Amino acid sequence: MYSRITGTGSYLPEKILTNHELESMVDTSDEWIRTRTGITQRHIAREDQVASDLALYASQNAMSAAGVSSKDIDLIIVATTTPDMVFPSTACILQNKLGIENCPAFDVQAVCSGFVYALATADMFVSSGKCRNALVVGTEIYSKILDWNDRSTCVLFGDGAGAVVLSQSDQPGILSTHLHASGSYSNVLSVPGSISGGKVQGNPYINMEGGTVFKFAVKVLEEVGQEAVAENNLQTTDIDWLIPHQANIRIIQSTAKKLGIPMDKVVVAVDKHGNTSAASIPLALDIAVRDGRIHPGQLVLLEGVGGGFTWGAVLLRW
């Protein structure tokens, strides 16, 4: 028994915030943002929208593409750093919105690696025969945890959701998964605030040491990519498409160079989306599937790295 992605979907909020608009909000410039990050715009959720709202649209699109209905889904895993509330899980809230009854539903919190972690977990359920169709979602509303006076972070992130349906198959789809974490770096990229006594304790906004994040991300994305191809007796030159976490164009370019994968084989969406954390990989995947770039039989490498630090990869045959 194998697991295979049978449908993809995504959703982006209607509001677009451009670099030029940010110039009037904080001390920055379009040129500075573009040259250092590759980002030109990002999408921003409405005040009344929550992560499960974005996830709902992305999930419906993925289910439609897979040709399945609510009654066919028997597992829901949501990767998010910005849940609707402390509890219940965003996955349970999404389950109710989709009208799905009595299937396991839970969240995964691995920040920007969240979708890779969630997909790897779903693969174990599906390939072992524990479920037939898993809905795997990455959804984020980072605009709610940004300090809009901090020019080093507020220009980087955006909101959005992406989803896939992972189904049982007699043909290999997901070939291998590779997950890692190192909590010794937990203070490098974090939102250190917490809730106690009904009040926020500490800093509730993103805190990041950009230089450290950059160096670590490029290092581990190369390593985990090499790990994935080696386990399958392949070379990086065999990869048809690399879909990395969409954090920064320089990280993406450096990773591709170290792996020996040309940029015309890399799916890039960071320019239009910004960093959407756990949503970035499924968003980019859905774009590449729907515009016809990804063809049946091709090898696709998904890679993520995020706060924790967490990192991982999924190698699959489309």
Side-chain angles (χ1 to χ4, degrees), residues 148-226:
W148 289 98
N149 295 311
D150 180 4
R151 66 176 183 175
S152 68
T153 57
C154 74
V155 303
L156 302 177
F157 296 91
D159 304 335
V164 303
V165 175
L166 191 69
S167 304
Q168 286 183 350
S169 173
D170 58 3
Q171 297 296 319
I174 292 185
L175 303 180
S176 63
T177 64
H178 310 266
L179 303 179
H180 301 273
S182 179
S184 62
Y185 292 90
S186 60
N187 64 329
V188 173
L189 176 57
S190 65
V191 177
S194 62
I195 298 174
S196 178
K199 297 180 180 179
V200 174
Q201 304 292 323
N203 178 16
Y205 300 120
I206 293 174
N207 176 64
M208 180 174 66
E209 296 177 19
T212 303
V213 172
F214 185 100
K215 293 175 184 177
F216 187 89
V218 173
K219 174 179 179 292
V220 298
L221 288 174
E222 179 199 5
E223 290 174 351
V224 78
Q226 296 286 4

Side-chain angles (χ1 to χ4, degrees), residues 34-112:
R34 279 189 295 103
T35 56
R36 287 162 177 79
T37 71
I39 300 168
T40 62
Q41 65 176 46
R42 69 286 296 146
H43 291 251
I44 304 295
R46 300 192 313 267
E47 276 294 319
D48 63 343
Q49 285 183 312
V50 290
S52 65
D53 292 328
L54 278 57
L56 174 62
Y57 295 122
S59 298
Q60 290 171 332
N61 290 334
M63 291 165 62
S64 176
V68 300
S69 65
S70 296
K71 62 181 175 55
D72 299 312
I73 301 296
D74 46 15
L75 172 66
I76 301 172
I77 306 178
V78 172
T80 188
T81 320
T82 54
D84 291 14
M85 56 186 72
V86 174
F87 70 84
S89 70
T90 302
C92 282
I93 297 170
L94 175 63
Q95 180 193 49
N96 181 58
K97 290 182 176 181
L98 286 168
I100 298 173
E101 296 288 341
N102 195 30
C103 80
F106 57 90
D107 289 357
V108 168
Q109 220 289 37
V111 199
C112 302

Side-chain angles (χ1 to χ4, degrees), residues 235-262:
Q235 304 292 326
T236 56
T237 51
D238 296 316
I239 300 299
D240 294 296
W241 292 104
L242 171 64
I243 306 182
H245 168 49
Q246 307 286 309
N248 180 309
I249 191 61
R250 289 183 173 181
I251 294 176
I252 294 172
Q253 290 169 337
S254 297
T255 300
K257 183 177 180 179
K258 284 182 173 291
L259 287 171
I261 298 175

